[in-house]
Amino acid sequence: MEDKKVRTYEINGETVSIDVLHSLAKLTGFQENVPDIDDFIHDPYYLGKSLGDTLYPIWKEAAREVFPTPYHSPVGEIVLSGGIGLGKSTFALLVSMYDLCKLLCLKNPHQYYGLVESTVISIALVNATQKLAKGVLWSQFEDWVANSPFFKSKVLVTKGKQKGKTYFINNIDISVGSRGENFLGQATIGAIFSEINDMTVVGGQAEDNLDTIAVRRASRFATSNREIFGHIVLDSSSKGNRSFLDARIEEKRKKGVKDFIIFSYTHWQAKWHTGAYSGKMFKVYAGDEYVDPFIVDETNEYRLATVKSPERIIDVPVEHWEAFHFNILKALRDLAGVSTFSTFSFISSAQTINEVFNQPNPVQQEMIELDFFNKDQTLDKFIDIKKLAYINSSPRFIHIDLGIKSDSTGMSCSYFKGFDTREIYDPITGKKSIDQVPLFVTEWCMEIRAVPGHEVPIYKIQDFIVTARDLGYPIAMITTDGYQSTNLRQNLMLKGFTTDLVSVDRTKDPYNNLRNIILEGRLQAPNLEKLKREVRDLEENDKKFDHPDSQEGSKDILDSLCGSIWTCSTNLNKSAGAQNIQNLDTSIRMMSRTGSTNMFKRFENKLLGASR
């Protein structure tokens, strides 16, 4: 019978057998041998029943790069990006489970790291909300433990109805949460930040969470002069613009920090081993700050010589031609896993901006300067609000971004126009469906400034809104930002208006919503040069969207438009009239017979559920 080949490793130019590594590890504090990463993936005693041959080859290679030997990893931070549906979350959990395996193989992990015995050593599963944190990753973790004799043997024994303090022996735990404070009192040795680019429930959530855990990890473990058996894994699909991960990587590279590794794959890289690709390719330019993405063919191949970022030319398998032809932006993001716009800009395409912001603004002046003491000067003299009420009876949503002295006050009004039937192509499955998407109109925008030396007369804004309603203008809701706006909202509420506090800067959701609506051509808005300039100049930083620090820009009008669209789109039950609801109900019944219900179900729950 042929002897099994002994696995060896190259360490500092020398060949070392795994038996030697195990013997050295026993001398440093291990009581059990740590399996090689390939054995950990394939052996049924570890994760073979859950992973084995189902793990894509790219992730097996990535795992060998992260863990070149069972007892050493050259990096502390792992960034997972690229296309969607490629198994990034599975790989993240694999990394953390292998780290957990090492901890459980130690005789005394607390002594190993110089910690008090009562300290809980944990690996954190972090997501934008508690519900998400307790969702997919936790369920997958429990399944893997249940299928692994090794991990099951380390689960803390439950006595009667009294369960142990931690999930595993030796005070080792898996903790879940959405905020840094969820992990107070624990020695967090590693963490998975799932979809970290989407951690925008509160301003700065991603940065705060990561900093809190990274600092705690370093303070508890880095001082022991032992290798930290835990990784910070940052997992998120590529976004259409600059993301938290983009900013973090860029900052690290500027500082020359090399403690991280990036794994970012396209769909075809991840699935090439399946034999689904012929090897024939076509070229796509992924776009830049000045040029929209485009497919390269014989009619425009000459454009490649003029592009400013030739590194953004990618080769794509012909099998994905239809997906890129149908929706190049979605295909670049979901299949190629690349950002489709410049690193910083909100929307870089001048063509897109001009196509959306193309309506006449019914406000007679681009900037209205109000005199606080001149009571004859009223806002209703700058717009024929009665005419607008007569033309269209859709419920209006007004958002006011107050600026008292030096800043402008922006005020915008939007309404829900109806639904548009569109053919939707899923680049992942290759399936087409017919869905309905909501359309919006920003009817007017105002920029208001105070006469130099005065403050903006807020009472005139209030009077204008009351006058508009008295003239038949159908106002559904008035929203304001938080700055000095409480009194205005309270006064309007006393006069019978529905009001709310809406900040477009507290999270990125309102601006992400606006960007999607603009890019999908679902908005008609006024053709105001200052407004379009605010759109062009807007940049995305770690916490919010803002104008460049190097410029004295503004976004007062854009903030008011964004708030107006956000309120309208999140209150579709108030936006859609009885006829719209009836039409939607009919459409849902029709489309259910064709098998396309994804988008309809969402709107049915929101609209029809509210009306029944």
Side-chain angles (χ1 to χ4, degrees):
M1 183 175 178
E2 187 178 356
D3 292 335
K4 185 178 180 181
K5 186 177 180 181
V6 177
R7 184 172 280 119
T8 60
Y9 306 89
E10 289 293 325
I11 301 176
N12 296 327
E14 295 186 15
T15 301
V16 181
S17 73
I18 192 167
D19 292 334
V20 171
L21 288 181
H22 288 331
S23 297
L24 291 173
K26 291 284 178 63
L27 295 175
T28 63
F30 282 87
Q31 66 178 356
E32 294 185 49
N33 294 336
V34 177
D36 179 88
I37 187 62
D38 284 295
D39 291 337
F40 185 71
I41 293 171
H42 290 279
D43 192 331
Y45 183 65
Y46 297 100
L47 296 186
K49 294 179 182 178
S50 300
L51 288 179
D53 293 331
T54 64
L55 188 68
Y56 287 167
I58 56 163
W59 295 123
K60 294 180 183 180
E61 287 298 324
R64 296 183 192 112
E65 193 170 348
V66 173
F67 301 107
T69 82
Y71 301 97
H72 170 66
S73 176
V75 295
E77 185 173 305
I78 302 169
V79 177
L80 308 178
S81 187
I84 64 174
L86 301 184
K88 293 188 294 296
S89 296
T90 297
F91 180 73
L93 191 57
L94 165 62
V95 169
S96 292
M97 293 287 276
Y98 193 54
D99 288 335
L100 178 61
C101 174
K102 294 181 187 182
L103 291 172
L104 294 171
C105 287
L106 285 168
K107 183 178 181 180
N108 188 328
H110 293 79
Q111 183 179 335
Y112 190 83
Y113 286 111
L115 299 174
V116 177
E117 292 288 338
S118 60
T119 302
V120 175
I121 300 175
S122 72
I123 293 176
L125 307 181
V126 192
N127 213 312
T129 66
Q130 283 280 4
K131 183 178 180 180
L132 289 172
K134 293 178 180 177
V136 178
L137 270 180
W138 177 255
S139 299
Q140 194 172 19
F141 161 76
E142 289 197 305
D143 287 343
W144 286 10
V145 170
N147 287 327
S148 168
F150 170 81
F151 284 109
K152 279 199 298 184
S153 71
K154 306 298 183 183
V155 173
L156 197 61
V157 176
T158 301
K159 295 181 179 179
K161 294 184 179 180
Q162 297 296 320
K163 186 173 181 181
K165 179 181 176 183
T166 57
Y167 200 98
F168 294 102
I169 60 172
N170 293 335
N171 244 4
I172 296 172
D173 203 7
I174 299 292
S175 52
V176 297
S178 60
R179 304 298 303 278
E181 55 261 31
N182 298 142
F183 310 101
L184 291 177
Q186 301 176 8
T188 306
I189 196 169
I192 299 174
F193 291 83
S194 186
E195 294 297 343
I196 192 169
N197 286 334
D198 294 330
M199 289 186 188
T200 59
V201 175
V202 295
Q205 183 182 9
E207 182 178 26
D208 292 344
N209 284 351
L210 180 54
D211 287 348
T212 299
I213 289 178
V215 169
R216 185 172 295 123
R217 176 176 179 268
S219 66
R220 294 294 187 98
F221 297 98
T223 57
S224 66
N225 294 321
R226 301 280 194 176
E227 177 163 325
I228 303 175
F229 297 138
H231 289 81
I232 300 293
V233 186
L234 310 178
D235 159 29
S236 197
S237 301
S238 180
K239 301 298 176 184
N241 208 320
R242 190 189 194 219
S243 65
F244 172 81
L245 277 185
D246 294 329
R248 181 173 177 83
I249 293 167
E250 182 181 320
E251 185 67 21
K252 285 201 169 195
R253 284 173 172 164
K254 284 181 180 178
K255 294 179 178 178
V257 178
K258 300 179 180 179
D259 66 341
F260 67 98
I261 189 169
I262 301 173
F263 297 107
S264 180
Y265 300 110
T266 65
H267 254 257
W268 47 97
Q269 287 173 326
K271 299 183 178 181
W272 199 271
H273 68 283
T274 62
Y277 295 102
S278 64
K280 296 179 180 179
M281 315 290 277
F282 64 98
K283 292 187 180 299
V284 172
Y285 185 59
D288 57 44
E289 186 176 358
Y290 307 101
V291 179
D292 289 344
F294 63 89
I295 296 174
V296 180
D297 56 29
E298 61 274 6
T299 65
N300 62 14
E301 192 170 6
Y302 68 93
R303 296 178 64 186
L304 291 181
T306 65
V307 298
K308 298 182 180 295
S309 303
E311 72 278 3
R312 290 180 65 78
I313 301 170
I314 62 174
D315 291 313
V316 180
V318 294
E319 285 77 10
H320 291 307
W321 167 264
E322 186 171 15
F324 277 80
H325 180 74
F326 193 89
N327 189 330
I328 190 170
L329 298 180
K330 185 174 178 62
L332 280 167
R333 184 187 66 224
D334 294 349
L335 294 177
V338 300
S339 299
T340 51
F341 304 105
S342 65
T343 306
F344 300 99
S345 63
F346 173 63
I347 293 177
S348 59
S349 169
Q351 177 182 345
T352 299
I353 294 171
N354 289 332
E355 287 175 353
V356 168
F357 296 88
N358 62 357
Q359 302 298 304
N361 190 27
V363 180
Q364 296 171 12
Q365 289 182 200
E366 290 205 2
M367 196 276 287
I368 301 171
E369 191 174 77
L370 287 182
D371 187 323
F372 188 92
F373 299 102
N374 182 0
K375 295 187 178 181
D376 292 331
Q377 184 197 35
T378 56
L379 281 173
D380 59 288
K381 293 181 179 178
F382 295 92
I383 182 172
D384 190 346
I385 206 76
K386 188 173 183 179
K387 179 181 178 181
L388 296 178
Y390 177 77
I391 293 174
N392 192 324
S393 61
S394 298
R396 307 306 206 274
F397 294 82
I398 297 175
H399 183 76
I400 305 166
D401 183 77
L402 281 175
I404 303 301
K405 291 186 176 179
S406 57
D407 292 337
S408 294
T409 288
M411 183 162 57
S412 295
C413 180
S414 303
Y415 63 86
F416 164 70
K417 185 180 181 181
F419 289 100
D420 184 31
T421 301
R422 295 189 178 183
E423 186 177 51
I424 306 298
Y425 181 88
D426 187 334
I428 308 303
T429 64
K431 295 181 180 179
K432 293 179 181 178
S433 60
I434 304 297
D435 283 338
Q436 285 203 341
V437 294
L439 306 178
F440 302 94
V441 173
T442 296
E443 190 168 34
W444 51 263
C445 296
M446 283 188 189
E447 180 186 8
I448 302 167
R449 276 188 172 269
V451 170
H454 293 192
E455 293 184 351
V456 169
I458 298 177
Y459 75 91
K460 291 191 176 185
I461 297 174
Q462 177 181 312
D463 290 346
F464 165 70
I465 292 171
V466 173
T467 299
R469 181 187 61 184
D470 293 345
L471 291 172
Y473 200 54
I475 300 174
M477 184 179 291
I478 310 291
T479 56
T480 70
D481 64 1
Y483 182 63
Q484 298 190 19
S485 63
T486 302
N487 191 55
L488 173 60
R489 288 198 313 276
Q490 289 178 348
N491 289 341
L492 289 171
M493 184 173 62
L494 289 173
K495 294 182 179 297
F497 291 94
T498 300
T499 67
D500 200 1
L501 172 65
V502 170
S503 172
V504 299
D505 288 333
R506 189 176 65 85
T507 75
K508 291 184 179 180
D509 291 345
Y511 266 107
N512 283 330
N513 175 66
L514 177 62
R515 177 163 57 191
N516 289 337
I517 290 171
I518 290 175
L519 292 177
E520 293 168 9
R522 296 191 284 117
L523 174 65
Q524 293 175 289
N527 181 9
L528 294 173
E529 283 305 316
K530 183 174 182 179
L531 176 60
K532 291 194 291 185
R533 185 170 66 251
E534 289 181 348
V535 176
R536 286 193 299 268
D537 290 347
L538 197 66
E539 292 184 352
E540 183 175 5
N541 58 42
D542 295 343
K543 296 184 179 181
K544 64 178 182 178
F545 293 90
D546 209 345
H547 56 73
D549 292 336
S550 59
Q551 300 179 18
E552 291 189 5
S554 70
K555 62 187 185 84
D556 305 306
I557 310 175
L558 185 56
D559 273 354
S560 68
L561 183 148
C562 180
S564 177
I565 291 295
W566 175 250
T567 308
C568 186
S569 60
T570 55
N571 287 274
L572 284 178
N573 58 318
K574 296 180 181 178
S575 303
Q579 185 60 47
N580 284 327
I581 292 176
Q582 182 180 353
N583 291 342
L584 179 62
D585 198 12
T586 301
S587 299
I588 290 173
R589 291 196 302 272
M590 291 176 61
M591 294 312 302
S592 64
R593 292 196 292 270
T594 67
S596 175
T597 59
N598 292 339
M599 186 73 76
F600 284 128
K601 287 300 181 187
R602 289 197 294 273
F603 286 119
E604 181 180 29
N605 292 337
K606 203 161 199 177
L607 292 177
L608 301 181
S611 65
R612 289 169 180 163

